[in-house]
Amino acid sequence: MSRPKVVLAYSGGLDTSVAIPWLSEKGMDVVSVTVDVGQPVDLEAVRRKAEASGAVTAYVADARREFAEEFLAPALRANALYEGIYPLSTALARPLIARHLVEVARREGATFVAHGCTGKGNDQVRFDLSTTSLAPELEVIAPAREWKMTREEEIVYAKAHGIPVEATKTSPYSTDENLWGRSVECGVLEDPAIEPPEEVYGWTRSPTEAPETPTAVTIGFEQGIPTSLDGNRAPFHEIVLALNQLGGRHGVGRIDHVESRVVGIKSREVYECPAAVVLIGAHQALESLVGPRDVLDFKRGVEQRYAQLIYDGLWFAPLRTALDAFVRSTQERVTGEVTVKLYKGSARVTGRRSPYSLYQQTLATYSTGDRFRQEMSEGFIYVWGLPARTWTAIGTQPTALTSRAAKYRA
Ligand code: ARG
């Protein structure tokens, strides 16, 4: 009788490598899937390792472009920052990986999907929800939620099953990387009162070590999406890569955050997201130039909700599609150029231009050429202030109401 198939999200690390024999021992054939979302990975080496660990088939895919265009672009258009600060780098990759798992599961006729997440984090929520939203017929298994092995026990288990365990530096940190950023947790970071030691950073120079001369970079946007860097057209994912490099060199994009996880835990996270920080700042600046006040104001509420649903694993839920439609319609005129100056940890917008700019020199100027009719302001303010004046005149003392109201002259 043929064994049921399980499609495993495989990173090549210890947890997911141990998951292969663990799942086979439960009676399943393991098909591994490794998705390149911009993490430093040698896809061929990972494929070989999956096979060496017992996978019956090992799939690998370069999804960097897909990640940028279908996940980072909508997030950028929505200026998505969880709790106002985290660009959601790890969170955004999960639904993409899940979509690949589902595709392979259907191709292979698998009944199960598996991932290496523990039962304490957000990522399990994102994998489980994304997978089952796309394919309700699939069942998700998370071995690390069940096996109750310590890291040391996992190493013993791996060796016993002939899995190559790199005897490398046993880093106390747990990290996750993709195009949109690098996440670090555990170790000394578990004390939120302690400043993260320099060793936790991998992408960014310390601002104190950053160059003494600033670098100005000009980002071209078309309908909310970056399309050029200093006048050179490039695909979005390449612009992201370039800005990670450049921003990182200037110490830009370090984020130290105590965040509220979906499962109720507060956790201390350190992120390095140079490109995301630069691009969101530039995008916001361009929106300020071309967007009407009420649209920008309403959008800020949408942005917060959008960020939260990404964090919460609801990418493939109807609310995201609906909010996307709103956000997309706000981006029609978000075309133009923004210059950002990178200097010792900061990314400051220093200039912006757009063919759709609502900024009119003749209205804003205090010099000659002023076309604003200042005398009209008095009447405008009279009407605009009417509700507040009435409110105050009526007051809160019921006995005084009639006399006060009588005295009041509009
Ligand atoms: N807390 C972040 C999130 O929920 C990042 C988790 C990253 N994982 C890691 N192994 N460091 O999106």
Side-chain angles (χ1 to χ4, degrees):
M1 208 188 84
S2 77
R3 287 150 53 96
K5 275 185 188 167
V6 56
V7 177
L8 170 70
Y10 182 69
S11 69
L14 181 65
D15 292 333
T16 52
S17 295
V18 166
I20 296 177
W22 190 88
L23 288 163
S24 330
E25 281 181 347
K26 296 260 180 254
M28 286 169 262
D29 277 347
V30 181
V31 175
S32 72
V33 173
T34 306
V35 184
D36 180 357
V37 281
Q39 74 277 35
V41 66
D42 175 348
L43 286 178
E44 243 334 282
V46 172
R47 190 213 302 272
R48 280 195 303 273
K49 186 169 179 189
E51 283 168 354
S53 304
V56 292
T57 317
Y59 286 92
V60 296
D62 177 353
R64 287 174 298 173
R65 192 176 191 130
E66 177 191 349
F67 184 41
E69 288 172 5
E70 291 181 50
F71 294 81
L72 304 186
L76 174 60
R77 284 195 291 251
N79 299 314
L81 293 169
Y82 180 63
E83 295 187 325
I85 193 167
Y86 163 43
L88 294 155
S89 38
T90 293
L92 282 161
R94 302 321 189 193
L96 174 139
I97 297 169
R99 194 164 72 185
H100 279 257
L101 296 175
V102 168
E103 249 170 53
V104 172
R106 291 196 167 139
R107 194 180 320 152
E108 291 275 341
T111 34
F112 300 96
V113 153
H115 58 72
C117 306
T118 70
K120 293 180 73 171
N122 298 313
D123 287 329
Q124 55 166 345
V125 179
R126 298 167 184 151
F127 274 121
D128 288 23
L129 290 186
S130 297
T131 304
T132 52
S133 306
L134 291 172
E137 73 278 10
L138 289 173
E139 201 173 309
V140 184
I141 309 172
R145 273 197 300 236
E146 299 179 27
W147 65 34
K148 297 188 174 70
M149 282 190 271
T150 63
R151 196 173 167 81
E152 294 68 36
E153 287 162 352
E154 281 182 50
I155 292 172
V156 172
Y157 184 94
K159 286 183 175 155
H161 289 80
I163 291 169
V165 178
E166 291 134 55
T168 50
K169 32 139 196 100
T170 44
S171 164
Y173 305 108
S174 161
T175 59
D176 177 65
E177 288 174 71
N178 64 51
L179 285 177
W180 212 226
R182 178 171 180 270
S183 309
V184 196
E185 51 190 29
C186 303
V188 35
L189 296 177
E190 287 181 358
D191 183 347
I194 290 174
E195 182 178 357
E198 207 43 45
E199 65 178 20
V200 308
Y201 298 105
W203 286 15
T204 55
R205 268 196 219 173
S206 161
T208 52
E209 310 281 303
E212 296 298 327
T213 14
T215 301
V217 62
T218 298
I219 301 145
F221 286 89
E222 283 172 27
Q223 303 198 322
I225 299 307
T227 50
S228 71
L229 211 52
D230 290 328
N232 304 309
R233 288 191 74 84
F236 179 32
H237 70 283
E238 283 176 20
I239 292 176
V240 171
L241 285 169
L243 286 174
N244 276 332
Q245 288 284 328
L246 191 62
R249 197 173 333 130
H250 284 280
V252 167
R254 291 186 171 189
I255 297 158
D256 176 354
H257 181 41
V258 173
E259 84 191 23
S260 315
R261 284 192 190 166
V262 186
V263 293
I265 301 170
K266 288 275 189 194
S267 69
R268 202 283 187 88
E269 311 276 341
V270 167
Y271 300 105
E272 297 177 280
C273 306
V277 165
V278 171
L279 288 172
I280 292 172
H283 180 256
Q284 284 170 330
L286 188 55
E287 286 186 316
S288 301
L289 188 69
V290 303
R293 182 169 84 152
D294 56 356
V295 174
L296 295 180
D297 181 48
F298 192 84
K299 183 169 181 275
R300 272 190 288 276
V302 171
E303 290 174 351
Q304 221 177 55
R305 194 61 200 265
Y306 197 89
Q308 190 173 331
L309 73 82
I310 294 172
Y311 191 84
D312 291 353
L314 298 172
W315 182 266
F316 294 116
L319 181 60
R320 204 262 310 167
T321 318
L323 296 185
D324 254 353
F326 167 78
V327 171
R328 204 177 258 281
S329 88
T330 65
Q331 300 297 294
E332 266 171 38
R333 301 188 190 190
V334 186
T335 293
E337 286 185 348
V338 180
T339 300
V340 182
K341 206 169 241 186
L342 310 174
Y343 182 61
K344 291 201 175 286
S346 78
R348 218 157 33 84
V349 171
T350 55
R352 68 290 271 160
R353 71 176 85 242
S354 167
Y356 302 108
S357 174
L358 296 177
Y359 180 90
Q360 298 291 313
Q361 179 91 30
T362 51
L363 292 177
T365 187
Y366 285 97
S367 307
T368 46
D370 184 359
R371 272 183 33 229
F372 187 88
R373 293 160 63 188
Q374 295 196 36
E375 70 283 2
M376 303 301 270
S377 287
E378 190 183 346
F380 162 71
I381 294 164
Y382 169 80
V383 175
W384 186 239
L386 188 57
R389 288 202 304 280
T390 307
W391 173 266
T392 304
I394 297 304
T396 50
Q397 301 287 331
T399 47
L401 190 139
T402 23
S403 57
R404 280 207 207 179
K407 256 189 267 162
Y408 174 61
R409 262 188 289 278

